[in-house]
Amino acid sequence: MRLGEALRMVAQDAEMYADPQRALELARRRRRRRLAAGSATAAALVIAAVWAVHLLPFKASRLPASPRPVATSSGERASKRAYPARVELPSGAATPLPTDRGVGPAALIYSVGNRPLLVATTGAQYALPTPNLFDSGLIALSPDGRWLLDGPVLRDLTSNVTYDVPRGTAQWSPDARWLLIETSSGHQLVNTVSGRAIPVANAAAVLDNGQILVASNIQRTRATITITDAGSGGNPHTFTVDGSGILAADEGIAGRSGDGGFSLYQVWPYSTDGALFEVQGSTNLVLLDVSLTDGRILHRTVVPAEQPPYQFWAIAGMDSGKLVLRHQPPGNTTPSPGTTTPVPPYQLAVIDPSGGTPAVVCTIPAHSLVLARGSNRAL
Amino acid sequence: MGRYEGFPEFVLARGPALCRTAYLLCGDHATAEDLVQSALVRTAERWPSVVAGGNPEGYVRRATINEHISRWRRFGRRERLVAELPDRPMASDDTADRLHLLTAIRNLAPRQRAVVVLRSYEDLSETETAAILGCSVGTVKRQTHDALARLRQLVPVAVDDASEVVR
């Protein structure tokens, strides 16, 4: 591999860090401070001159101290960079998503009244051209928000680069480098750096290193998993995921498929070493955190139902190794006729694969359909 | 908009390329964001004269590199440089290759990193690189030689054609 080529591959991992509005705000603030300091200096010179002329002993008043910018930690910057705190419907028609320039990574896509809007990490909103995207299931955002799959077109939102890709439902590797597309004629694996697609086996997920995860011998609570090189099928590594000892009687990692067998519910890899297996059959939101080295179940990740048997949390996507949840606050979600009680907004939250308390990152208008990062299904 | 006319459009148009350069220079997202934003603030403060100069992208790129070098002078010694990289698979795994190369680049001195990025990634000539770094062509040649020697030692598979850089 040549050095220039290798550097270009590494550079593909860069995100859009440039925020013109933030730069302008700071530049304006510094300019105001300089102008104020200049005015103060001029005033002090005038006062000194007056004092010297009249020999009057008075003091020049001191300027108030300028506010100092407050530094934030990288983590705070990262979460602020990814999501605007509050998303609200624009008052007028939103600007169509431009095709001749980048808009930066997207935080999410949402739709109220069949008007899909892409929300950039800067908070800017752009109208998407197809009105029924949420019905088709063919639109997907990458886990880093950089790539937008819209039917057969994969768009880099940080530039105007597009690739033609096979049309189908898509899953991403956690680092967004690989896109696994299920088409009517089989699975294709797309490299987002080159745009090249290759046919692969019937896979459940794709990992950061381009290896695919294939399931076989699927039962309700267990499955055999083989991780293998995508194109060649080489370097197979097989293990069993067995949840029978940790799942309740009604719970399972797989459900009946049309052919009478079982198929896995969604599998969410979060690194090359681990994946979350969705569990159905519980009132709570349950996932199994599974080691992709040997199939061991590392955690049973649970988000309890707030008002059993009603669950207001739902899995929305995967953002850079963290699971994204949508929360529909309980109560007053449907206003009674004749009342003006405001409907609370929905929330997006992130949670570590091993569990913990969901951290709310963003609110979105109530009754929205939302498509989060790393997902192709709108909630 | 007034004195800042055209600045947001410039950032949206050229921002991704500048971000990629910044990421190559420092190798992590948080620092790259700091570099890019600091360079953009400096550019915005002087935007009318930067535009009058006719090469705003070159100005931001130079500001980014200067910020990168001055940060290293202030904070760089906190970085942990390693004599040898840990063993990793090299041949077939693109992701491992990228991580390995990124780690190797982070082990270069900041001016060496800048030279490698400008010469091999930006495809600039020695003269153009010297102009951006504010040094002589001879210094660029020496830094290039030293950087490639170091990279050859750390990731030989990524530097198998030295003539690509030393043209």
Side-chain angles (χ1 to χ4, degrees):
Chain A
M1 186 189 302
R2 296 163 72 91
L3 180 57
E5 182 189 343
L7 288 172
R8 276 182 276 282
M9 285 178 62
V10 173
Q12 291 297 324
D13 291 338
E15 297 174 4
M16 178 64 171
Y17 319 112
D19 184 340
Q21 295 310 322
R22 197 150 56 93
L24 281 178
E25 283 168 19
L26 193 51
R28 287 192 181 106
R29 201 157 61 222
R30 287 182 179 175
R31 181 175 159 80
R32 281 196 296 270
R33 201 183 309 163
R34 276 200 308 273
L35 291 174
S39 304
T41 305
L45 286 173
V46 169
I47 290 168
V50 170
W51 179 82
V53 169
H54 297 283
L55 297 176
L56 293 176
F58 63 85
K59 295 178 180 177
S61 61
R62 294 182 61 188
L63 283 175
S66 300
R68 293 175 64 84
V70 179
T72 58
S73 71
S74 299
E76 286 173 322
R77 276 201 306 273
S79 63
K80 283 177 183 171
R81 191 171 69 228
Y83 294 91
R86 190 167 61 183
V87 173
E88 293 181 327
L89 270 174
S91 51
T95 310
L97 182 67
T99 55
D100 59 343
R101 62 179 172 84
V103 296
L108 57 103
I109 294 171
Y110 76 107
S111 176
V112 177
N114 227 9
R115 287 172 52 207
L117 296 167
L118 181 144
V119 182
T121 53
T122 57
Q125 298 192 31
Y126 301 95
L128 293 176
T130 312
N132 60 348
L133 292 171
F134 289 90
D135 298 332
S136 69
L138 298 178
I139 182 168
L141 265 184
S142 64
D144 58 0
R146 176 175 172 178
W147 298 93
L148 169 67
L149 179 70
D150 185 357
V153 178
L154 181 62
R155 161 88 192 269
D156 181 356
L157 292 169
T158 64
S159 70
N160 58 357
V161 169
T162 60
Y163 296 128
D164 291 332
V165 297
R167 190 181 181 87
T169 53
Q171 290 186 67
W172 300 88
S173 63
D175 67 353
R177 181 169 163 77
W178 300 97
L179 178 61
L180 180 67
I181 301 179
E182 182 180 0
T183 71
S184 55
S185 58
H187 285 69
Q188 299 267 331
L189 188 64
V190 177
N191 181 324
T192 57
V193 174
S194 64
R196 200 163 61 95
I198 56 171
V200 296
N202 184 0
V206 58
L207 307 178
D208 287 347
N209 56 13
Q211 290 191 309
I212 54 173
L213 192 151
V214 180
S216 59
N217 302 322
I218 306 172
Q219 304 292 316
R220 183 165 175 74
T221 59
R222 55 180 290 160
T224 300
I225 302 295
T226 301
I227 295 177
T228 178
D229 289 347
S232 64
N235 297 317
H237 169 52
T238 300
F239 52 82
T240 299
V241 176
D242 186 354
S244 55
I246 198 169
L247 295 174
D250 294 336
E251 295 176 344
I253 58 173
R256 286 282 180 190
S257 56
D259 59 4
F262 283 94
S263 62
L264 284 178
Y265 299 125
Q266 181 97 34
V267 178
W268 301 91
Y270 56 84
S271 72
T272 51
D273 300 323
L276 293 170
F277 283 59
E278 268 190 48
V279 172
Q280 299 283 328
S282 170
T283 303
N284 301 323
L285 194 157
V286 181
L287 302 111
L288 297 184
D289 182 6
V290 174
S291 163
L292 296 182
T293 306
D294 53 14
R296 272 182 308 126
I297 295 172
L298 305 172
H299 300 97
R300 177 185 161 97
T301 301
V302 179
V303 179
E306 280 176 89
Q307 295 178 1
Y310 302 110
Q311 172 60 288
F312 296 93
W313 292 97
I315 299 169
M318 178 67 78
D319 180 347
S320 306
K322 288 183 181 258
L323 197 66
V324 182
L325 306 176
R326 190 213 60 187
H327 183 234
Q328 178 183 330
N332 289 333
T333 51
T334 305
S336 305
T339 67
T340 56
T341 307
V343 180
Y346 292 176
Q347 298 167 319
L348 280 190
V350 294
I351 187 172
D352 283 329
S354 57
T357 306
V360 174
V361 293
C362 178
T363 64
I364 51 178
H367 305 305
S368 296
L369 275 172
V370 62
L371 181 76
R373 287 178 166 192
S375 177
N376 66 353
R377 53 183 189 188
L379 301 173
Chain B
M1 187 63 69
R3 64 181 281 116
Y4 303 113
E5 185 83 46
F7 179 78
E9 291 78 10
F10 162 76
V11 175
L12 282 175
R14 300 309 307 155
L18 294 166
C19 292
R20 287 192 279 272
T21 302
Y23 180 66
L24 285 177
L25 284 172
C26 62
D28 75 85
H29 296 297
T31 311
E33 181 184 7
D34 285 346
L35 288 183
V36 170
Q37 281 302 122
S38 298
L40 288 179
V41 171
R42 289 176 60 181
T43 306
E45 289 177 310
R46 299 163 182 79
W47 184 241
S49 57
V50 170
V51 172
N55 184 13
E57 187 171 350
Y59 183 91
V60 182
R61 184 165 286 115
R62 182 170 185 158
T64 305
I65 291 169
N66 287 343
E67 179 71 17
H68 162 64
I69 293 172
S70 66
R71 269 168 187 266
W72 185 85
R73 287 188 183 126
R74 275 179 279 153
F75 309 119
R77 284 158 188 78
R78 294 180 196 164
E79 291 185 10
R80 188 170 62 89
L81 303 184
V82 293
E84 291 183 9
L85 297 183
D87 289 340
R88 296 186 70 100
M90 287 300 302
S92 61
D93 188 334
D94 276 358
T95 304
D97 285 351
R98 281 187 303 157
L99 291 174
H100 214 51
L101 179 62
L102 195 56
T103 310
I105 291 173
R106 292 180 68 177
N107 274 272
L108 298 177
R111 273 188 178 274
Q112 291 178 351
R113 284 185 223 174
V115 165
V116 167
V117 172
L118 292 176
R119 298 279 284 119
S120 295
Y121 176 70
E122 300 281 358
D123 283 330
L124 298 186
S125 68
E126 288 170 341
T127 308
E128 291 167 325
T129 303
I132 285 184
L133 292 177
C135 64
S136 69
V137 171
T139 302
V140 170
K141 285 181 177 174
R142 193 181 69 248
Q143 298 277 9
T144 305
H145 177 270
D146 293 346
L148 287 178
R150 180 75 174 142
L151 285 177
R152 253 188 227 103
Q153 182 188 357
L154 295 172
V155 277
V157 69
V159 199
D160 61 357
D161 187 359
S163 64
E164 182 192 7
V165 173
V166 188
R167 285 184 291 254

